[in-house]
Amino acid sequence: MPGTSTSVARGLDGVVAARTRLSHVDGDRGELIIGGYELKQLAGRVSFEEAAHLLWRGALPTRDELGRLRREFAAVRALPEQTLEVVRAAVAAPPIDALRMGCATSSLDLADPDDISPTADLEAAKRLTARFPTVVAAHARISEGKEPIAPRTDLPHAANFLYMLHGTEPDPIAARALDTYWVTVIDHGMNASTFAGRVIASTRSDMVSAVTGSIGALKGPLHGGAPGPVLDMLREIGSADRAEAWVRHELAAGRRIMGFGHRVYKVRDPRAEVLAQVVDAMAAARLEDRTLFHLARAVESTSLKVLDEVKPGRNLRTNVEFYTALVLQSLGLKPRSFVATFACGRVAGWCAHVIEQHAQDHLIRPQSEYVGPRGLKVN
Ligand code: ACO
């Protein structure tokens, strides 16, 4: 660019923006490490509460610690009146917007919302993480003209969410599927929503502000908003024999195939594999529509083949959102609630990053390359 000597890393691609102990994504090997463990060590083997403890405290909890965290979550699950009012006012808004608004009200009942000490951050993290599912379930019911169901204190986190959504205690396989899903998406390196939260926290702003900003970043279809469209795509394709023509038509029209491609993974996203197994287990237990699962497998292999042919060298592989769509719809969630349900898992990771960023206490302030005119004069 004339007049400048800077070089721009477009989309900060390849730029290392933070040091973290929380998670690591190896895009070439298809590996995700969370708090020292490979994803496959954790997913399906530890509960969401245990994974949250791992991120916030640096180690998996003992039995006593887990019991304490579960009780602490249960104690703050219910929504304060002001949050419920906002959720009701957002009845027609997308669930992720209702969650963003509900999240922002959380500072109203914190003793000192501007306290960013480790103890205060941990308290805020527990409150936000405990309440997110309550907001999402309440909004889902209100938008269907039903009354919200109060949370129970005797159920684990995932089972309680399904209870608040449907009004009955969930099948243990369904609760386990949701638990595995939330562990799978709990943290993922320096993704856009995590980075957004860290930028906010780096100004010494508070946990609620940072997490509210993260929700805004997660909402976009290039980040967390893809699973709804994945389901639309599967429904539109309808049967495996129509997949190839459909995918070719979309690509020829310049559109993207949702659930494929990733900025970091150049091989299959390891989370997609974990979630494909979850869907398989649900199908075996007749909680998932087997026809849809088979169609998804067929659309996946066809899309990979056609993407390789039409977009050679881009290494577009299946990402987490593809199987997320199947897991969440089989749990009885509507596509419009998918991204908000994703946030219920990711919130624990966002909070951990805010805690880490506050401890590092260093302002994130990159530069920009000016490409506008110079020397203009006001007449
Ligand atoms: N379908 C078709 N083409 C694609 C896709 C796709 N899903 N993804 C990327 N491409 C193409 C682009 O058109 C571009 O082609 P070109 O070189 O001919 O212009 C090339 O691949 C590179 O695309 P970029 O946008 O530069 O790649 P980037 O790394 O920025 O994109 C992203 C990553 C945004 C996830 C992209 O792959 C995408 O839009 N996928 C579909 C949406 C989706 O699944 N989002 C969920 C992501 S997972 C998550 O965030 C939790």
Side-chain angles (χ1 to χ4, degrees):
M1 279 294 151
T4 66
S5 57
T6 47
S7 77
V8 175
R10 193 165 160 260
L12 298 186
D13 203 0
V15 172
V16 176
R19 272 223 162 98
T20 182
R21 298 181 60 84
L22 299 171
S23 65
H24 174 65
V25 181
D26 185 329
D28 296 324
R29 295 168 63 183
E31 265 179 20
L32 168 59
I33 296 169
I34 299 174
Y37 298 86
E38 266 194 51
L39 172 65
K40 55 181 179 280
Q41 284 290 316
L42 296 176
R45 300 176 75 177
V46 305
S47 65
F48 174 72
E49 292 92 318
E50 287 169 291
H53 189 284
L54 170 64
L55 291 179
W56 298 344
R57 301 280 201 164
L60 287 169
T62 61
R63 187 189 286 248
D64 283 354
E65 286 169 335
L66 176 60
R68 197 175 319 130
L69 184 60
R70 286 211 156 117
R71 286 192 297 281
E72 286 170 340
F73 273 180
V76 292
R77 257 177 203 156
L79 301 182
E81 199 43 50
Q82 64 266 18
T83 305
L84 200 52
E85 270 174 35
V86 166
V87 174
R88 284 189 196 280
V91 58
I96 190 70
D97 287 350
L99 183 62
R100 190 193 68 236
M101 296 178 226
C103 174
T105 66
S106 293
S107 49
L108 292 172
D109 67 317
L110 283 173
D112 177 1
D114 289 331
D115 186 350
I116 59 167
S117 65
T119 316
D121 271 355
L122 197 55
E123 268 320 298
K126 286 178 201 160
R127 197 164 294 217
L128 291 171
T129 305
R131 278 189 192 157
F132 268 35
T134 319
V135 171
V136 177
H139 185 262
R141 291 187 66 87
I142 291 166
S143 59
E144 287 173 3
K146 300 177 192 154
E147 269 307 294
I149 295 174
R152 286 198 6 203
T153 52
D154 60 328
L155 291 175
H157 200 61
N160 177 61
F161 174 63
L162 295 174
Y163 166 74
M164 291 187 295
L165 207 57
H166 302 305
T168 49
E169 256 187 58
D171 184 298
I173 295 175
R176 196 177 150 81
L178 180 61
D179 210 29
T180 304
Y181 167 66
W182 277 343
V183 170
T184 301
V185 299
I186 197 165
D187 200 40
H188 199 242
M190 204 44 51
N191 59 85
S193 57
T194 299
F195 184 56
R198 283 192 82 126
V199 169
I200 295 170
S202 82
T203 68
R204 294 191 189 160
S205 180
D206 63 288
M207 172 76 76
V208 173
S209 299
V211 171
T212 305
S214 291
I215 297 175
L218 180 71
K219 173 183 166 175
L222 298 190
H223 190 357
V230 166
L231 214 53
D232 295 341
M233 166 178 81
L234 294 176
R235 294 212 169 106
E236 224 179 291
I237 293 174
S239 61
D241 57 321
R242 286 166 40 93
E244 181 157 349
W246 192 93
V247 172
R248 285 190 190 282
H249 179 266
E250 287 300 289
L251 292 176
R255 287 189 286 268
R256 292 181 179 212
I257 311 301
M258 290 293 135
F260 295 89
H262 198 275
R263 175 62 65 83
V264 182
Y265 289 120
K266 298 305 162 208
V267 295
R268 197 171 195 240
D269 182 336
R271 300 169 301 173
E273 193 49 50
V274 167
L275 296 183
Q277 285 168 16
V278 168
V279 175
D280 206 14
M282 292 186 81
R286 301 193 181 286
L287 291 169
E288 161 69 52
D289 174 357
R290 260 209 106 67
T291 320
L292 191 65
F293 178 60
H294 286 308
L295 174 63
R297 284 287 200 197
V299 169
E300 183 185 16
S301 56
T302 303
S303 301
L304 292 173
K305 185 189 84 175
V306 177
L307 282 167
D308 260 351
E309 192 191 307
V310 179
K311 298 272 175 186
R314 269 58 147 228
N315 295 318
L316 300 170
R317 302 286 175 257
T318 320
N319 66 44
V320 65
E321 307 285 27
F322 190 78
Y323 283 101
T324 290
L326 275 83
V327 174
L328 297 187
Q329 74 89 35
S330 66
L331 294 172
L333 281 143
K334 301 271 181 335
R336 64 194 301 266
S337 292
F338 285 1
V339 62
T341 308
F342 184 124
C344 292
R346 182 56 61 84
V347 64
W350 291 332
C351 292
H353 279 274
V354 171
I355 294 169
E356 193 177 63
Q357 186 65 44
H358 280 159
Q360 292 174 359
D361 194 23
H362 190 79
L363 179 69
I364 299 174
R365 206 301 189 187
Q367 295 189 28
S368 50
E369 178 187 18
Y370 178 68
V371 294
R374 288 167 194 267
L376 300 181
K377 303 273 186 285
V378 176
N379 289 325

